[in-house]
Amino acid sequence: MAAPTPQSLVLSFEDARLVVEEHAAQIPPGADEVVDLLHASGRILAEPITADRDIPPFPRSTRDGYAVRSADLTKLPARLIVVGEIKAGPRPSPVPLVLNSGQAFSIMTGAPVPQGADAVVMVEYTSSSLSSQNIVEITKGVDAGENIVAQAAEARSGSLLLGRREQLDHAAIALAASVGKSRLQVFVRPRVAVLTTGDEIVDVDGRPGPTQIRNSNTYSLAAQIQEAGGEAVLLPIAPDEPHRLRRLIEQGLESDLLIMTGGVSMGRYDLVEQVLSEMKAEFLFTGARIQPGRPVVFGRVPLGHKEGAGAATPAAALLKYFFGLPGNPVSTMVTFELFARPILEALAGTSPHPLVFVHARLKSEIRVKTGLRRFLPAVFSGQHENSQAELVPWQGSGDIAARSRANCYIVIPPDREQISAGDWVAIMLR
Ligand code: AMP
Ligand code: MG
């Protein structure tokens, strides 16, 4: 018996994205684990990081030069008596150094500024005479505070430096290192099942028949999943046959998220939606008015259809999200970025990154039909304020070679038919 296919629910790009963002906002973070700082890049913090002491812990010189009283430099050139040298690092004596009027300390970058000094003069504006080595002549005045970072100016002891659910980039890693966190509590990476469908698809190591093609989507998706903070779980290729497809979908739903590719278009053997309908899936949308990627499907499945999901199972675990991404490889890549990534990021414990568009001047004219928001592979080039972008010639959304020559997408709003060379266009960099 053929199951009913779901009602068509084709949304504008903005509405589809909003649906995804609203669901992402409801997803609670999962379990956490401890990792070494060296392996924490890109992970999501499960604990707040606070300053273990003032940063900097002492007033720090930011230059090599002389610690002085700025008031001593009102008449130039000024001659001051050099009473000592302060280098960065531990000092032999615990007695605090004090600077009096008419005096200077030679000081290095990163060294503590002595009491009584309120500025550092850069060595470039000084000269020490050969005859009297303890005299420095200074040719430029300084304002109070110049070339000094005051104690605690960057952070006060105990203050919050990095919040729970923040992603660790290299700067955050430096901050964690600076407060002595060699091990960090982070969220466990969500497991994302990848299921490719289609009788024409053979795996990379297989021998494709004359009318078959190799599976590339599983691998581009695995790369995108890892890059977005997930762990890809690869399932076998599903044939265009409902029973086997259902078994594999059920297997995929054991992961935190299921991403399928292929089988979501209008063809007679596009069975994904039909099989999910039989499983009582709720379809949140079944298409978006975009190109490439129009037949993208997003929904969730109650896990009650399976034995084992008892009353003790928490509510969140009773629903699993899935995406049915179109099979054409560039459509798969684009729809992952636009729609699947926010759900994955939420499962990974962070709040989804908003889509960021930069702007560039169009190099050559574009003409398209209205009605769809387009994300067309393009090359972004040029420097500084001269950034330019131009479409890569392509054979449509199956053209992986063209996509790999591109480094961005030009985004064309649905009401534009024509964009002239020299006009500003929006660029999506990923
Ligand atoms: P479908 O969405 O199943 O109608 O597939 C659309 C197009 O994408 C067809 O030309 C498929 O052969 C191709 N395709 C589907 N799955 C994959 C895959 N895993 N790797 C490469 N191409 C695929
Ligand atoms: Mg197919």
Side-chain angles (χ1 to χ4, degrees):
M1 180 194 74
T5 39
Q7 262 198 327
S8 161
L9 196 57
V10 180
L11 305 182
S12 69
F13 163 69
E14 291 84 347
D15 287 347
R17 174 79 191 188
L18 205 62
V19 166
V20 164
E21 285 173 353
E22 282 169 2
H23 282 269
Q26 304 299 319
I27 294 174
D32 51 58
E33 61 183 342
V34 172
V35 292
D36 284 348
L37 188 55
L38 256 185
H39 299 121
S41 181
R43 302 298 298 268
I44 312 298
L45 269 178
E47 60 171 339
I49 305 291
T50 54
D52 64 332
R53 56 182 185 153
D54 287 347
I55 309 178
F58 50 81
R60 180 179 67 210
S61 173
T62 62
R63 303 285 183 202
D64 295 323
Y66 289 87
V68 298
R69 293 183 174 210
S70 54
D72 284 349
L73 305 185
T74 43
K75 267 187 65 191
L76 295 171
R79 288 163 70 85
L80 301 175
I81 302 165
V82 181
V83 293
E85 181 188 87
I86 312 170
K87 61 192 281 289
R91 287 201 317 112
S93 154
V95 182
L97 296 172
V98 181
L99 178 112
N100 296 307
S101 184
Q103 298 180 336
F105 273 94
S106 162
I107 193 165
M108 313 301 148
T109 302
V113 174
Q115 273 177 35
D118 68 354
V120 170
V121 187
M122 288 166 70
V123 72
E124 287 86 336
Y125 303 117
T126 68
S127 56
S128 42
S129 73
L130 288 175
S131 52
S132 53
Q133 288 213 322
N134 63 339
I135 299 289
V136 62
E137 190 173 277
I138 296 172
T139 54
K140 193 168 183 272
V142 277
D143 293 329
E146 210 170 314
N147 300 324
I148 297 175
V149 180
Q151 180 172 338
E154 293 168 10
R156 206 156 271 300
S157 178
S159 66
L160 182 70
L161 299 176
L162 296 167
R164 194 170 171 269
R165 306 192 68 169
E166 266 184 61
Q167 188 167 27
L168 292 156
D169 63 4
H170 58 271
I173 299 254
L175 199 49
S178 76
V179 298
K181 294 289 294 184
S182 59
R183 289 162 73 69
L184 296 171
Q185 220 162 338
V186 298
F187 291 110
V188 174
R189 287 195 175 94
R191 289 163 56 80
V192 182
V194 180
L195 176 57
T196 243
T197 70
D199 287 339
E200 77 280 32
I201 313 297
V202 296
D203 219 334
V204 184
D205 293 325
R207 186 190 293 271
T211 57
Q212 289 184 305
I213 56 164
R214 291 201 182 87
N215 174 16
S216 62
N217 289 347
T218 292
Y219 297 92
S220 59
L221 277 173
Q224 286 175 293
I225 287 165
Q226 283 161 15
E227 211 238 325
E231 188 191 319
V233 178
L234 307 191
L235 295 173
I237 295 166
D240 293 322
E241 187 278 304
H243 297 287
R244 176 83 179 129
L245 179 60
R246 178 165 178 159
R247 291 283 95 76
L248 287 168
I249 288 177
E250 283 172 350
Q251 203 179 320
L253 291 170
E254 288 166 14
S255 289
D256 300 307
L257 175 65
L258 168 61
I259 299 185
M260 293 161 278
T261 89
V264 290
S265 317
M266 296 298 285
R268 190 181 311 167
Y269 298 99
D270 289 325
L271 301 170
V272 165
E273 286 168 76
Q274 183 195 315
V275 169
L276 284 160
S277 287
E278 287 170 7
M279 297 170 73
K280 309 268 184 299
E282 177 190 358
F283 290 87
L284 298 160
F285 55 80
T286 60
R289 288 191 284 278
I290 57 172
Q291 190 237 351
R294 196 172 199 278
V296 57
V297 176
F298 174 46
R300 53 188 180 180
V301 188
L303 290 190
H305 71 91
K306 258 188 90 185
E307 285 89 78
T313 320
L318 291 175
L319 284 169
K320 282 282 165 74
Y321 286 102
F322 66 82
F323 285 92
L325 306 184
N328 262 315
V330 184
S331 309
T332 313
M333 297 176 203
V334 169
T335 49
F336 175 89
E337 287 302 328
L338 296 178
F339 305 117
R341 181 184 267 269
I343 296 292
L344 204 170
E345 287 172 339
L347 289 165
T350 187
S351 46
H353 301 311
L355 279 176
V356 175
F357 300 110
V358 298
H359 288 82
R361 297 250 184 220
L362 188 62
K363 230 169 158 178
S364 5
E365 187 197 40
I366 297 177
R367 284 179 178 279
V368 287
K369 292 205 181 84
T370 56
L372 301 175
R373 184 173 295 271
R374 293 174 201 265
F375 298 84
L376 302 179
V379 172
F380 181 66
S381 62
Q383 290 199 323
H384 310 300
E385 63 271 26
N386 298 319
S387 52
Q388 289 189 314
E390 108 181 288
L391 294 182
V392 168
W394 74 331
Q395 301 301 316
S397 49
D399 193 345
I400 314 174
R403 171 60 188 84
S404 72
R405 284 192 289 274
N407 60 9
C408 71
Y409 298 97
I410 289 179
V411 185
I412 305 172
D415 57 350
R416 290 295 292 272
E417 266 190 308
Q418 186 268 349
I419 308 178
S420 305
D423 280 1
W424 289 102
V425 281
I427 305 285
M428 188 172 80
L429 286 174
R430 196 155 50 197

mmCIF file with all atom_site columns, all heavy atoms in Angstrom, residues 197-198 200 240 262-263 269-270, ligand 2:
data_model
loop_
_atom_site.group_PDB
_atom_site.id
_atom_site.type_symbol
_atom_site.label_atom_id
_atom_site.label_alt_id
_atom_site.label_comp_id
_atom_site.label_asym_id
_atom_site.label_entity_id
_atom_site.label_seq_id
_atom_site.pdbx_PDB_ins_code
_atom_site.Cartn_x
_atom_site.Cartn_y
_atom_site.Cartn_z
_atom_site.occupancy
_atom_site.B_iso_or_equiv
_atom_site.pdbx_formal_charge
_atom_site.auth_seq_id
_atom_site.auth_comp_id
_atom_site.auth_asym_id
_atom_site.auth_atom_id
_atom_site.pdbx_PDB_model_num
ATOM   1  N  N   . THR A 1 197 ? 20.864 7.958  -0.810  1.00 0.00 ? 197 THR A N   1
ATOM   2  C  CA  . THR A 1 197 ? 19.920 7.040  -1.458  1.00 0.00 ? 197 THR A CA  1
ATOM   3  C  C   . THR A 1 197 ? 20.094 7.066  -2.967  1.00 0.00 ? 197 THR A C   1
ATOM   4  O  O   . THR A 1 197 ? 20.498 8.083  -3.530  1.00 0.00 ? 197 THR A O   1
ATOM   5  C  CB  . THR A 1 197 ? 18.464 7.447  -1.175  1.00 0.00 ? 197 THR A CB  1
ATOM   6  O  OG1 . THR A 1 197 ? 18.189 8.663  -1.879  1.00 0.00 ? 197 THR A OG1 1
ATOM   7  C  CG2 . THR A 1 197 ? 18.208 7.650  0.304   1.00 0.00 ? 197 THR A CG2 1
ATOM   8  N  N   . GLY A 1 198 ? 19.788 5.981  -3.602  1.00 0.00 ? 198 GLY A N   1
ATOM   9  C  CA  . GLY A 1 198 ? 19.749 5.953  -5.071  1.00 0.00 ? 198 GLY A CA  1
ATOM   10 C  C   . GLY A 1 198 ? 20.405 4.711  -5.634  1.00 0.00 ? 198 GLY A C   1
ATOM   11 O  O   . GLY A 1 198 ? 21.532 4.378  -5.268  1.00 0.00 ? 198 GLY A O   1
ATOM   12 N  N   . GLU A 1 200 ? 21.568 4.382  -8.472  1.00 0.00 ? 200 GLU A N   1
ATOM   13 C  CA  . GLU A 1 200 ? 22.675 4.699  -9.377  1.00 0.00 ? 200 GLU A CA  1
ATOM   14 C  C   . GLU A 1 200 ? 23.980 4.981  -8.625  1.00 0.00 ? 200 GLU A C   1
ATOM   15 O  O   . GLU A 1 200 ? 25.014 5.196  -9.231  1.00 0.00 ? 200 GLU A O   1
ATOM   16 C  CB  . GLU A 1 200 ? 22.312 5.903  -10.259 1.00 0.00 ? 200 GLU A CB  1
ATOM   17 C  CG  . GLU A 1 200 ? 22.395 7.283  -9.597  1.00 0.00 ? 200 GLU A CG  1
ATOM   18 C  CD  . GLU A 1 200 ? 21.184 7.638  -8.735  1.00 0.00 ? 200 GLU A CD  1
ATOM   19 O  OE1 . GLU A 1 200 ? 20.575 6.721  -8.143  1.00 0.00 ? 200 GLU A OE1 1
ATOM   20 O  OE2 . GLU A 1 200 ? 20.876 8.833  -8.618  1.00 0.00 ? 200 GLU A OE2 1
ATOM   21 N  N   . ASP A 1 240 ? 16.691 2.454  -3.963  1.00 0.00 ? 240 ASP A N   1
ATOM   22 C  CA  . ASP A 1 240 ? 15.361 3.061  -4.145  1.00 0.00 ? 240 ASP A CA  1
ATOM   23 C  C   . ASP A 1 240 ? 14.303 1.985  -3.917  1.00 0.00 ? 240 ASP A C   1
ATOM   24 O  O   . ASP A 1 240 ? 13.561 1.605  -4.828  1.00 0.00 ? 240 ASP A O   1
ATOM   25 C  CB  . ASP A 1 240 ? 15.257 3.670  -5.551  1.00 0.00 ? 240 ASP A CB  1
ATOM   26 C  CG  . ASP A 1 240 ? 16.183 4.872  -5.712  1.00 0.00 ? 240 ASP A CG  1
ATOM   27 O  OD1 . ASP A 1 240 ? 16.326 5.652  -4.749  1.00 0.00 ? 240 ASP A OD1 1
ATOM   28 O  OD2 . ASP A 1 240 ? 16.776 5.030  -6.789  1.00 0.00 ? 240 ASP A OD2 1
ATOM   29 N  N   . GLY A 1 262 ? 19.393 12.803 -1.540  1.00 0.00 ? 262 GLY A N   1
ATOM   30 C  CA  . GLY A 1 262 ? 18.763 12.142 -2.679  1.00 0.00 ? 262 GLY A CA  1
ATOM   31 C  C   . GLY A 1 262 ? 17.372 11.660 -2.308  1.00 0.00 ? 262 GLY A C   1
ATOM   32 O  O   . GLY A 1 262 ? 17.004 11.593 -1.134  1.00 0.00 ? 262 GLY A O   1
ATOM   33 N  N   . GLY A 1 263 ? 16.601 11.358 -3.344  1.00 0.00 ? 263 GLY A N   1
ATOM   34 C  CA  . GLY A 1 263 ? 15.279 10.760 -3.129  1.00 0.00 ? 263 GLY A CA  1
ATOM   35 C  C   . GLY A 1 263 ? 14.226 11.707 -2.601  1.00 0.00 ? 263 GLY A C   1
ATOM   36 O  O   . GLY A 1 263 ? 13.187 11.269 -2.126  1.00 0.00 ? 263 GLY A O   1
ATOM   37 N  N   . TYR A 1 269 ? 10.788 7.370  -8.015  1.00 0.00 ? 269 TYR A N   1
ATOM   38 C  CA  . TYR A 1 269 ? 11.547 6.576  -7.045  1.00 0.00 ? 269 TYR A CA  1
ATOM   39 C  C   . TYR A 1 269 ? 12.116 7.441  -5.918  1.00 0.00 ? 269 TYR A C   1
ATOM   40 O  O   . TYR A 1 269 ? 13.023 7.037  -5.211  1.00 0.00 ? 269 TYR A O   1
ATOM   41 C  CB  . TYR A 1 269 ? 12.660 5.796  -7.754  1.00 0.00 ? 269 TYR A CB  1
ATOM   42 C  CG  . TYR A 1 269 ? 12.060 4.834  -8.750  1.00 0.00 ? 269 TYR A CG  1
ATOM   43 C  CD1 . TYR A 1 269 ? 12.001 5.152  -10.099 1.00 0.00 ? 269 TYR A CD1 1
ATOM   44 C  CD2 . TYR A 1 269 ? 11.501 3.641  -8.310  1.00 0.00 ? 269 TYR A CD2 1
ATOM   45 C  CE1 . TYR A 1 269 ? 11.411 4.292  -11.002 1.00 0.00 ? 269 TYR A CE1 1
ATOM   46 C  CE2 . TYR A 1 269 ? 10.907 2.779  -9.211  1.00 0.00 ? 269 TYR A CE2 1
ATOM   47 C  CZ  . TYR A 1 269 ? 10.860 3.104  -10.557 1.00 0.00 ? 269 TYR A CZ  1
ATOM   48 O  OH  . TYR A 1 269 ? 10.257 2.255  -11.429 1.00 0.00 ? 269 TYR A OH  1
ATOM   49 N  N   . ASP A 1 270 ? 11.583 8.650  -5.782  1.00 0.00 ? 270 ASP A N   1
ATOM   50 C  CA  . ASP A 1 270 ? 12.003 9.504  -4.677  1.00 0.00 ? 270 ASP A CA  1
ATOM   51 C  C   . ASP A 1 270 ? 11.147 9.150  -3.470  1.00 0.00 ? 270 ASP A C   1
ATOM   52 O  O   . ASP A 1 270 ? 10.045 9.666  -3.284  1.00 0.00 ? 270 ASP A O   1
ATOM   53 C  CB  . ASP A 1 270 ? 11.893 10.982 -5.074  1.00 0.00 ? 270 ASP A CB  1
ATOM   54 C  CG  . ASP A 1 270 ? 12.960 11.338 -6.096  1.00 0.00 ? 270 ASP A CG  1
ATOM   55 O  OD1 . ASP A 1 270 ? 14.071 10.783 -6.005  1.00 0.00 ? 270 ASP A OD1 1
ATOM   56 O  OD2 . ASP A 1 270 ? 12.690 12.149 -6.987  1.00 0.00 ? 270 ASP A OD2 1
HETATM 57 MG MG  . MG  B 2 .   ? 17.684 9.455  -6.299  1.00 0.00 ? 2   MG  B MG  1
#
